[in-house]
């Protein structure tokens, strides 16, 4: 295809992906969704970013997940995405689920953080401008704000749907008790919570302490981020710490001493994956998808090969009781 020709998506894309119903809604999401937390900032390779999105969509990944402060700098991932959307995906907007969030630090002063009506309204307006969109499909409150009344935050999410700026709303990082209260408020307002986005992996099980049961009972979807535990659930660290790894280059989210402590567990889990004819990353994703309360798993990627590798996980999401016991035992060591 010449450079002059516009991107045309793979006509067989929907045959390559499985889709799951999101809670009690009419919305189906792909089992894998692409997160734009990394690799879509202002200084990242724009051509690579385009290729990542095209590769994802060509393989049936219809959901692209953003937030106001993704970058760096803040906002730049949405700006990059907006440019790619205009160049490559203009004709496919109705086949895409685009989500954004607000709740963490975004701009200076008292109105650029947390969960006030002032902040959330301004943030979504800014996000829509950066992406050049009339609406997002899903808008999340990114984290709980214990100082702002829950009624104010949920009322704002409801308002956004009624204004046509978002089709659905969700929560992220909410503990079960507060999530349950938020669900009730949204339901009473007539805008039920579509989905909850928590961190979840073989090494990080906090959602099993009540949240997954709540989501199942309330028929709210779940989309999990950090399924690879910031790269620990891959073969990257089995033989030590590569110089280009995130743990070495950027210790904000993953410390080197933590990785070294987990290496024995990583090796044992890798042995189980091999017996399943999977690599460790694929097994880690499959392990989350084994639960039918999970709607989708958010993956990140810096290379198209990583997306293609992750896609193989959806072909084998069944685990024997023995495998599950062994995985649980290793994780709890």
């Amino acid at each position: 295809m010449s450079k002059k020709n516009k991107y045309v998506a793979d006509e067989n894309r929907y045959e390559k992906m499985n889709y799951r119903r999101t809670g009690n809604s009419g919305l189906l999401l792909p089992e894998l969704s692409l997160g734009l937390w990394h690799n879509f900032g202002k200084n990242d390779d724009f051509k690579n970013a385009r290729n990542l999105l095209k590769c994802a969509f060509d393989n049936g990944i219809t959901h692209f997940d953003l937030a106001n402060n993704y970058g760096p700098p803040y906002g730049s991932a949405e700006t990059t995405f907006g440019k790619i959307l205009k160049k490559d995906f203009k004709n496919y907007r109705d086949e895409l689920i685009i989500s954004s969030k607000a709740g963490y630090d975004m701009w200076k002063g008292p109105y650029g953080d947390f969960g006030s009506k002032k902040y959330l309204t301004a943030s979504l307006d800014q996000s829509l401008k950066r992406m050049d969109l009339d609406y997002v499909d899903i808008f999340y409150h990114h984290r709980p704000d214990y100082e702002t009344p829950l009624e104010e935050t949920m009322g704002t999410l409801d308002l956004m749907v009624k204004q046509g700026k978002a089709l659905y709303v969700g929560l992220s990082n909410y503990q079960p008790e507060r999530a349950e209260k938020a669900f009730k408020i949204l339901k009473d307002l007539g805008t039920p919570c579509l989905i909850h986005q928590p961190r979840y992996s073989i090494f990080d099980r906090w959602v099993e302490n009540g949240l997954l049961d709540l989501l199942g009972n309330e028929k709210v979807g779940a989309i999990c981020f950090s399924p690879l535990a910031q790269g620990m659930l891959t073969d990257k660290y089995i033989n030590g710490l590569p110089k280009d790894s995130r743990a070495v280059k950027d210790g904000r989210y993953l410390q080197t001493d933590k990785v070294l402590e987990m290496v024995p567990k990583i090796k044992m889990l890798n042995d189980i994956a091999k017996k399943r004819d999977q690599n460790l990353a694929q097994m880690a994703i499959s392990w989350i998808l084994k639960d039918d309360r999970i709607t989708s798993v958010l993956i990140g990627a810096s290379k198209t090969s990583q997306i293609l590798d992750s896609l193989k996980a959806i072909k084998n999401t069944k685990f024997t009781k023995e495998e599950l016991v062994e995985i649980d035992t290793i994780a709890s060591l």
Side-chain angles (χ1 to χ4, degrees):
M1 182 182 289
S2 73
K3 292 183 179 179
K4 293 182 180 179
N5 290 334
K6 290 184 178 180
Y7 164 65
V8 177
D10 189 315
E11 62 179 14
N12 298 315
R13 57 193 177 278
Y14 293 115
E15 298 170 16
K16 302 177 184 179
M17 177 55 62
N18 304 321
Y19 298 86
R20 297 188 181 190
R21 187 162 302 280
T22 313
N24 195 36
S25 76
L27 187 69
L28 299 175
L29 287 182
E31 289 186 338
L32 297 185
S33 298
L34 185 65
L36 278 65
W37 182 18
H38 299 290
N39 306 306
F40 289 84
K42 184 177 180 180
N43 296 323
D44 289 309
D45 186 330
F46 182 75
K47 183 178 179 180
N48 184 58
R50 288 179 75 182
N51 288 335
L52 291 172
L53 292 176
K54 291 176 186 177
C55 176
F57 190 58
D58 280 342
N59 286 280
I61 296 177
T62 54
H63 179 207
F64 300 141
D65 182 76
L66 298 106
N68 59 353
N69 62 351
Y70 288 177
Y74 293 168
S76 60
E78 289 182 328
T79 300
T80 297
F81 178 74
K83 291 176 181 177
I84 298 171
L85 191 66
K86 187 175 182 179
K87 284 179 177 291
D88 301 315
F89 292 92
K90 191 173 182 181
N91 294 332
Y92 298 106
R93 173 64 183 98
D94 292 337
E95 296 184 44
L96 300 178
I97 300 298
I98 300 167
S99 62
S100 193
K101 318 176 196 71
Y104 283 99
D105 171 54
M106 182 60 190
W107 63 82
K108 292 181 179 179
Y111 317 122
D113 204 346
F114 294 107
S116 71
K117 185 175 184 178
K118 170 72 173 174
Y119 169 49
L120 295 180
T121 301
S123 182
L124 180 53
D125 284 346
Q126 291 179 18
S127 292
L128 292 174
K129 286 178 182 177
R130 281 191 290 267
M131 294 186 283
D132 194 19
L133 291 173
D134 295 323
Y135 68 93
V136 291
D137 296 278
I138 307 170
F139 185 71
Y140 292 88
H141 187 218
H142 208 164
R143 63 165 168 176
D145 175 3
Y146 295 96
E147 301 300 321
T148 299
L150 199 54
E151 291 79 6
E152 178 178 343
T153 304
M154 296 306 109
T156 306
L157 295 182
D158 171 64
L159 177 65
M160 290 166 172
V161 171
K162 288 174 178 170
Q163 288 179 333
K165 296 177 182 178
L167 300 185
Y168 302 94
V169 296
L171 307 176
S172 183
N173 299 305
Y174 272 60
Q175 295 290 330
E177 183 178 354
R178 196 162 182 84
E180 186 172 16
K181 292 178 181 177
F183 294 164
K184 185 178 187 311
I185 293 169
L186 286 170
K187 200 173 197 179
D188 290 344
L189 289 169
T191 301
C193 183
L194 174 80
I195 197 165
H196 188 295
Q197 186 174 134
R199 189 179 64 248
Y200 188 31
S201 73
I202 290 172
F203 286 155
D204 191 344
R205 308 283 192 95
W206 75 269
V207 301
E208 295 174 2
N209 296 323
L211 183 64
L212 282 179
D213 288 337
L214 173 67
L215 299 180
N217 293 335
E218 294 289 329
K219 291 183 169 50
V220 173
I223 180 168
C224 304
F225 69 90
S226 292
L228 307 183
Q230 297 294 327
M232 286 193 291
L233 288 166
T234 69
D235 56 15
K236 183 185 296 184
Y237 298 109
I238 287 176
N239 297 313
L241 295 168
K243 291 181 180 179
D244 63 346
S245 69
R246 190 178 299 171
V248 173
K249 290 166 57 178
D250 183 356
R252 289 178 299 166
Y253 304 104
L254 188 61
Q255 288 76 41
T256 55
D257 56 348
K258 176 67 173 176
V259 174
L260 293 172
E261 176 190 324
M262 300 296 281
V263 166
K265 295 184 183 183
I266 295 169
K267 288 182 176 179
M268 287 187 280
L269 290 170
N270 190 57
D271 289 339
I272 299 174
K274 285 181 179 178
K275 293 175 186 175
R276 289 172 51 82
D277 293 323
Q278 292 182 311
N279 60 38
L280 181 52
Q282 291 163 359
M283 186 181 80
I285 294 170
S286 298
W287 180 86
I288 297 175
L289 287 170
K290 76 185 185 305
D291 192 325
D292 59 12
R293 293 171 295 185
I294 304 298
T295 312
S296 185
V297 173
L298 269 170
I299 61 169
S302 59
K303 304 172 184 176
T304 56
S305 59
Q306 293 170 332
I307 295 174
L308 297 174
D309 186 71
S310 295
L311 283 161
K312 296 175 184 176
I314 69 173
K315 298 177 181 178
N316 185 9
T317 59
K318 302 293 184 183
F319 288 76
T320 66
K321 289 182 180 179
E322 291 76 17
E323 286 174 331
L324 293 175
V325 169
E326 195 173 357
I327 289 169
D328 288 348
T329 301
I330 293 168
S332 63
L333 288 175

